[in-house]
């Protein structure tokens, strides 16, 4: 069976090219950050956001030596203000893998209000033909309400955004 993360990777691999600008909105252990960095290569750039210092420490080791990766200890809800001017309105891909950091405290989770703010900012800065992937985990209380809110939000997007939930 294909996992949600595998599907997100397939979609992105088909659309993302070397030299592009990508965002990992929820760095976690850095698996998606490394995946994006491998595709965009040294001519592109990946910006990663996470609030947890421990997660960023692990991710930093995973992308060690990749000068085309910038990791920011910040919530994804500040994505729009923390992107450098050169990256604004040019995002080829934004990945969200919501929930909590595997192997860490399950009390630290993504929150509906910050996720919706980050999603709007991602769409605001998305390049023409860019793609946003968003994986929700409704298996815990905040994740369940977050999944419903994301589904409602994407259902209301104009037809120019092809939303799939």
């Amino acid at each position: 069976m294909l996992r949600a993360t595998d599907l997100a990777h397939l979609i992105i691999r088909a659309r993302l090219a070397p030299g592009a600008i990508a965002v990992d909105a929820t760095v976690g252990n850095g698996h998606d950050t490394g995946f994006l960095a491998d595709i965009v290569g040294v001519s592109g750039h990946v910006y990663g956001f996470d609030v947890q210092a421990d997660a960023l420490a692990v991710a930093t080791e995973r992308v060690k030596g990749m000068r085309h990766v910038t990791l920011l200890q910040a919530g994804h809800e500040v994505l729009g203000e923390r992107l450098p001017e050169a990256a604004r309105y040019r995002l080829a891909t934004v990945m969200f893998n919501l929930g909590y950091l595997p192997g860490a405290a399950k009390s630290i989770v993504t929150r509906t209000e910050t996720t919706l703010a980050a999603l709007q900012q991602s769409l605001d800065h998305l390049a023409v033909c860019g793609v946003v992937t968003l994986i929700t985990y409704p298996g815990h209380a905040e994740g369940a309400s977050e999944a419903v809110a994301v589904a409602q939000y994407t259902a209301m997007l104009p037809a120019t955004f092809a939303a799939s939930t």
Side-chain angles (χ1 to χ4, degrees):
M1 177 180 271
L2 192 65
R3 298 178 314 152
T5 52
D6 295 332
L7 180 57
H9 284 197
L10 283 172
I11 291 167
I12 289 169
R13 195 180 310 279
R15 303 282 293 274
L16 191 60
I21 299 171
V23 168
D24 183 351
T26 51
V27 169
N29 289 315
H31 295 285
D32 290 335
T33 309
F35 165 75
L36 294 170
D38 287 342
I39 296 173
V40 303
V42 295
S43 60
H45 205 90
V46 176
Y47 297 92
F49 293 82
D50 206 295
V51 296
Q52 297 182 72
D54 290 346
L56 291 174
V58 172
T60 297
E61 282 302 309
R62 188 172 305 284
V63 298
K64 193 172 194 165
M66 294 183 172
R67 296 180 54 195
H68 58 292
V69 174
T70 301
L71 298 177
L72 303 157
Q73 186 174 355
H76 51 216
E77 71 276 10
V78 298
L79 181 150
E81 64 190 63
R82 295 294 299 271
L83 284 174
E85 192 66 37
R88 294 179 183 184
Y89 314 108
R90 298 185 53 220
L91 302 180
T93 297
V94 181
M95 291 188 80
F96 289 84
N97 193 343
L98 303 173
Y100 51 83
L101 179 64
K106 293 180 180 177
S107 59
I108 302 172
V109 297
T110 55
R111 303 275 180 218
T112 302
E113 61 277 357
T114 62
T115 296
L116 293 179
L119 179 55
Q120 182 60 57
Q121 291 172 49
S122 297
L123 296 174
D124 290 345
H125 290 281
L126 202 61
V128 174
C129 297
V131 62
V132 174
T133 62
L134 205 149
I135 299 170
T136 61
Y137 292 93
H140 58 93
E142 180 63 27
S145 63
E146 188 175 45
V148 168
V150 165
Q152 290 172 341
Y153 182 91
T154 57
M156 295 182 346
L157 290 173
T160 54
F161 292 104
S164 175
T165 55

